[in-house]
Structures are given as structure tokens and as C-alpha cells.
Amino acid sequence: MIDTGKIESILLRENYVTSDEIKKAEEFGKSRNTSPIEYLLTEGLITKDLLGQAIAESFGVPYADLNSNAPSKEQVLKIPEETAKKFHIVLFKESELEVVVATDDPEQEGLKEALDNIFNPFNVFEKVKRTTVAYSLPEDIESVFIYYRKPLETRFTKIIEAKKRVAPEIIEEILEDAIAFRASDVHFEPQEKEVLIRFRIDGVLHEAGRIPKEHYENILNRIKVQSHLRIDEHLSAQDGAMRYERSGGAVDLRVSVVPTLDGEKVAIRILAQYIQSFSLGDLGFSHSDQEGILEAGKLPFGMILVTGPTGSGKTTTLYALIKILNRPEVNITTIEDPVEYKIVGVNQIRVNPATNLTFAEGLRSIVRQDPNIILVGEVRDRETAEISVNAALTGHLLLSTFHANDAATAIPRLLDMGVEPFLLASTLEVVIAQRLTRRICVACRKSVSMSSEELLHLHPAISRYFPGKSFNLYKGKGCNTCGKTGYKGRIAIFEIIRITPEMEDLILKNPPTSEIWKLARRQGSRSLFEDGLEKVKAGITTLEELFRVANPPEMTLGGLE
């Protein structure tokens, strides 16, 4: 059992946090019936690695950072799977004289004997190795257990040959792999003779395996039943949700089924719980941008909009802000479709068209629930837009997502929906546009020298951002940590427009996107591309990734001037 008080004293002693921050964390823990450590992580006061180091010190053992020094498959497999999972251990380092094993419970009974049986079996001709036990975070240990898993198709064949619970076992194997690989989506794509399984990992789809077509109907029906969908409906699109229970805790899934020429395609969105611990800094906001957003978040009323395409992290950004604004003296109510992440202390409502609980109708009811802050999952139509603006005008802080290509375009789109210019000007506070780019893997990141000719080959507009003959940028070589891709995780790039008095005057004139962007530029706004470029130069992402999701501003928004 980890002693939270001991960890707090270590963090305090090592000057990772102040006594005031510890006090606030403890007050938060009591008011929310949760751990003070969660507050420190959410507020960005400590990182997961700092927490790991503090826990290791509380046990009196070294800390093993499995992210920066990921063990190879060969290392992991030196410990039998049954032993590894029983004691939650992984081989971290090995030399002729010493073995270092990482675990999340260094004091568990029987661990030393198990390690001696593996690394020091009785043999008079071999040297005895010293075994050192180190601490590592449980989720980091779990992530390397993927090496014990055989290819999906091998497991599919074994399940089919056994002729027992084919559908549930295949679904379980697929979901376990998807979670282990930190996939955001799982696709079941029927083809003529088989069904292709693909995972979206860090925004990119990868083939995971194939299922014989004759077994797909049972798999599809099981998914439909668990998602509360009709199994006798094959010609219409259906949306549902299910919860996958596993040893590491329940995982919520969002399910979409659509008919295609070769059968019904299923897309499953995995609502990862680790996202709840993200701070604004983790998402990619600079310090100055964070200050501006938090300043708007502290206002008693107004509207904050996050725009971008599906899958660009809009909801995650709003949830990161909600977690900061979530205090005992504040009433926060959300209406979403669906509720993606549950937050303690927040009243969350799910849209239900069957009972006429739409965004618009739900929002009307929420306003009568005495909220301070309202989160609307998405402004989709004129009615929702008008009610949202009126709610922001009548003493509520309203947060929502909106589909627009960039921050400047969101304003004309809202006006086109029928929102009165004077109402929008007086309620809108901040518009944020965002995209997601893959992060360079920190375990294999290396510096790369590029000439101006090579940069020009990537894009003709890039030369204005790199005046000179050669530059040092970064890329990932590819390693065990990132699955040889050179990328691990994602970070957002942002475009932020703050509504100043001058911008309010401009909105009253019903301006085009280009005029809004010109004023925003003069007031210091950076484009998505320019924010991404800062992350490229800092070695966080690559130019190739940036060009995949954003264009230089001279190609959009009416140019730089």
C-alpha cells in the first residue's frame, strides 16, 4: 500500500512542490473524495516521472523509467509470462553481475524467491547475480506486457480451432491489444472473404489482423447486443456505447455501425481514462496561452469555443479546462453526445433523441438548474447556437466545441447560423482551433541536419521560416518504445483568437474570415502552422507531421498581412 503522506513529504522535501500546493491538494482530495496526488498531476505541478521517483524513494528502492529506457522484447521474455504477471515485474537491466527488475510493489511476498529461481538457479558453475528491485509505475509495466502477446491472427486461429466461445474471445483479444497499444479507435472492415481489423494509433491506422468472414456475423451481433443496438437492423447506421470490463479497470467504448457493400462496418472509439489526468500544458498550450485561457475561464459569464475536425482533441481540451475550474463552490453541468469522461463533482447529461433530450432541449433545462458553468458537447445547429449565446449572456460561462477549419472561420459560421452579431460580440471570449500531431519518441529522438534545399523540397513556402543554409531539426530513429515508428503519443497545435474591444467592433460589421484573421494577427495571434513550427523547432514533432495537419498561413486565411 503506497503511503500518500510519505510521498507528499518527499515531494515537499525535494522542493518539487510547496507547502501551499500540498495544502490545496489535500483540500481538493477531501472535497472530491480523491487522492491529493491527482490534483498535483492535473495541475501540472508534478509529472508522472516525478511521482514515480517519489514513490520509489518511499519504498527505499531505485526508480526505473520504462518510458525513457524501454526494455527490448528479448529482455521482457526472459521472465516467464506467468511469473511476470503474478508479481507485475519486468526485466529492466541485466549484466554479468547484476539484474535490475522493475515492479509496482517492491515489498510483495515471494518476489525475491521468484527472481532467484529465474536468474540464480542452483548451479555451481555459474556466478550468482545480484538482484536489485526497482519501482516503476503500474501502467508503464503493463505497457511492456504487450510482448507476451502472440499475433492476433495466431490467437484467432487457436480460438476458432477450440470451437468454444469464438465471438467473445476474439473481441476480447482485439480490445486488449488495442488498449495495450494505446489505440484511439478499432475498425472492423468487412471485405469479400475476410474482415480486416485496424487500430488507429497516434492518429494513423495500422493493420492488426484479419478474421474469416464466416465468424463475423456472431462477432457483430455480440458487439450490437453489448452496445444496446438492434441485431435485426442491417441497412441503417446505428450508434451505441458499451463498457469493457477488464482486470485493469473498466473501459468505456463508443460504437458506430454502418452498412457497406461487403457487410456492416464497425468503428469503436476507446475512451482512454489516462486522458483525464492531462493538464493544459500536457496538451501543448504555451504558458502565455494557458494564462489567456484561464483568464477567460475565470470570468463569471461568456463563451469559450474550441474548433476543429472530428478527432482533433476538442473535448479533451475542454475537459482539461473543466478540471481546473471544478471547485466545490461552483456548479458545473454538461450535456454531451456521449459523455466521454466522467468527472467527480460535475453533473453530466447525455443527449437522448428518443426522449427528445437534444442539445437544445437539454440546454434549456440546464439553464434552470442554477449552473455557473455549462459545457455543451457541440454547437450543431441554429437553435443550439442561439440558446448557447443567450446562456452566456445571462450569467453563465459556456464552453463548447464547434466544427470549423480554423479559429477565424468560426465567427462567420456562427453569424451565418443566425446568431445576432451584437449578441456574439458581447458573449464570445476566446476561440481556439486545434489539430493533433504525433510526438517524436523521446527514447530514440535524434538531431538531423537539413539543408535549405531539403527544406524547400518539403514545401516551397517553408524557406521564409528558415532563413539560412542549414538547420538542426529532430526525428525519431524508431525503437522498442515506439514500435519502430519514431513517434509515441500526440500533442496539439493551436490557433487562438481572443475577443478584444476592437474584435467586438469588427464582429458587429459581419466581417469575412480574412478580415477577422488580419485583426487577430495584428493583435498577436499565431496560426496553427506557426504554433506547430515552434514545436518542430523544440524537437517535439516533425515538419512532415506538421504539413500533414496544417498549411502555412500564406496559403490560408487571406495571407500573413
Side-chain angles (χ1 to χ4, degrees), residues 184 199-206 438 487 490 545 548:
S184 60
F199 295 161
R200 188 176 295 280
I201 302 169
D202 294 336
V204 178
L205 282 169
H206 302 268
R438 290 185 290 175
Y487 298 98
R490 290 190 287 178
E545 270 297 288
R548 185 174 67 84

Side-chain angles (χ1 to χ4, degrees), residues 228-513:
H228 308 289
L229 303 177
R230 289 179 55 181
I231 62 171
D232 60 343
E233 178 57 73
H234 304 289
L235 300 176
S236 298
Q238 297 189 76
D239 294 318
M242 60 187 277
R243 173 164 285 195
Y244 173 54
E245 300 286 348
R246 60 194 296 265
S247 57
V251 177
D252 291 319
L253 309 171
R254 194 167 74 198
V255 179
S256 171
V257 180
V258 296
T260 69
L261 289 176
D262 290 312
E264 291 176 270
K265 179 184 180 297
V266 178
I268 299 177
R269 168 66 55 87
I270 299 172
L271 305 176
Q273 295 299 305
Y274 70 89
I275 288 175
Q276 293 192 40
S277 64
F278 276 9
S279 66
L280 292 176
D282 292 330
L283 298 177
F285 285 102
S286 66
H287 288 296
S288 60
D289 286 341
Q290 287 182 59
E291 287 172 6
I293 293 164
L294 289 175
E295 188 179 322
K298 290 173 183 175
L299 294 171
F301 59 87
M303 187 158 64
I304 297 173
L305 284 182
V306 182
T307 77
T310 301
S312 60
K314 301 185 296 297
T315 303
T316 303
T317 295
L318 287 181
Y319 270 69
L321 181 57
I322 282 287
K323 284 183 75 74
I324 296 170
L325 302 177
N326 186 14
R327 303 185 304 277
E329 66 272 19
V330 173
N331 177 10
I332 302 177
T333 304
T334 78
I335 181 159
E336 305 165 68
D337 183 21
V339 174
E340 296 200 7
Y341 312 112
K342 185 164 174 54
I343 299 180
V344 177
V346 174
N347 308 292
Q348 295 171 275
I349 301 168
R350 180 177 179 176
V351 165
N352 185 356
T355 59
N356 199 33
L357 184 57
T358 61
F359 278 119
E361 289 301 321
L363 192 48
R364 284 194 182 95
S365 299
I366 287 172
V367 172
R368 296 192 288 269
Q369 288 284 317
D370 187 33
N372 300 100
I373 300 171
I374 302 170
L375 187 153
V376 180
E378 184 185 342
V379 173
R380 294 178 178 173
D381 50 46
R382 176 175 180 171
E383 189 178 15
T384 307
E386 288 177 341
I387 300 169
S388 297
V389 168
N390 278 297
L393 192 66
T394 55
H396 307 94
L397 180 64
L398 189 132
L399 317 177
S400 187
T401 70
F402 188 67
H403 281 284
N405 286 333
D406 49 67
T409 304
I411 294 170
R413 278 211 61 210
L414 283 166
L415 294 173
D416 288 343
M417 274 185 170
V419 177
E420 293 291 345
F422 74 93
L423 289 176
L424 187 62
S426 56
T427 55
L428 195 58
E429 297 294 337
V430 175
V431 184
I432 304 165
Q434 67 180 71
R435 300 289 189 279
L436 291 176
T437 67
R438 290 185 290 175
R439 284 179 180 265
I440 298 172
C441 173
V442 295
C444 64
R445 183 175 62 181
K446 66 174 184 177
S447 176
V448 178
S449 179
M450 295 188 74
S451 67
S452 55
E453 288 80 11
E454 288 173 312
L455 288 173
L456 212 66
H457 182 70
L458 281 174
H459 200 285
I462 197 66
S463 57
R464 67 173 296 139
Y465 301 100
F466 292 93
K469 292 186 177 179
S470 65
F471 313 90
N472 282 328
L473 298 176
Y474 298 87
K475 67 179 290 186
K477 291 188 295 184
C479 66
N480 293 320
T481 301
C482 59
K484 309 296 182 184
T485 63
Y487 298 98
K488 187 177 181 185
R490 290 190 287 178
I491 192 166
I493 58 173
F494 300 99
E495 182 177 285
I496 300 172
I497 294 179
R498 296 177 181 86
I499 308 303
T500 60
E502 293 82 7
M503 188 64 76
E504 288 182 23
D505 291 341
L506 183 60
I507 291 172
L508 293 174
K509 299 172 185 175
N510 207 336
T513 297

Side-chain angles (χ1 to χ4, degrees), residues 531-547:
D531 184 59
L533 205 59
E534 293 301 311
K535 293 177 171 75
V536 169
K537 292 176 179 178
I540 297 170
T541 189
T542 62
L543 272 175
E544 290 84 356
E545 270 297 288
L546 177 56
F547 279 120

Side-chain angles (χ1 to χ4, degrees), residues 141-212:
I141 293 171
E142 198 69 38
S143 68
V144 299
F145 281 174
I146 190 69
Y147 290 130
Y148 289 114
R149 302 180 72 80
K150 294 179 175 64
L152 270 177
E153 288 183 35
T154 303
R155 283 175 270 154
F156 293 161
T157 302
K158 190 175 179 181
I159 291 167
I160 292 166
E161 287 173 353
K163 295 181 180 178
K164 291 182 180 178
R165 301 172 66 251
V166 173
E169 288 188 26
I170 284 179
I171 292 169
E172 183 179 334
E173 294 293 341
I174 291 169
L175 293 179
E176 284 295 329
D177 266 26
I179 292 164
F181 284 113
R182 293 168 75 92
S184 60
D185 301 85
V186 179
H187 292 249
F188 293 73
E189 302 177 355
Q191 298 176 347
E192 188 176 348
K193 295 180 179 179
E194 57 192 0
V195 177
L196 175 65
I197 309 299
R198 296 203 289 172
F199 295 161
R200 188 176 295 280
I201 302 169
D202 294 336
V204 178
L205 282 169
H206 302 268
E207 182 174 334
R210 293 171 183 263
I211 303 169

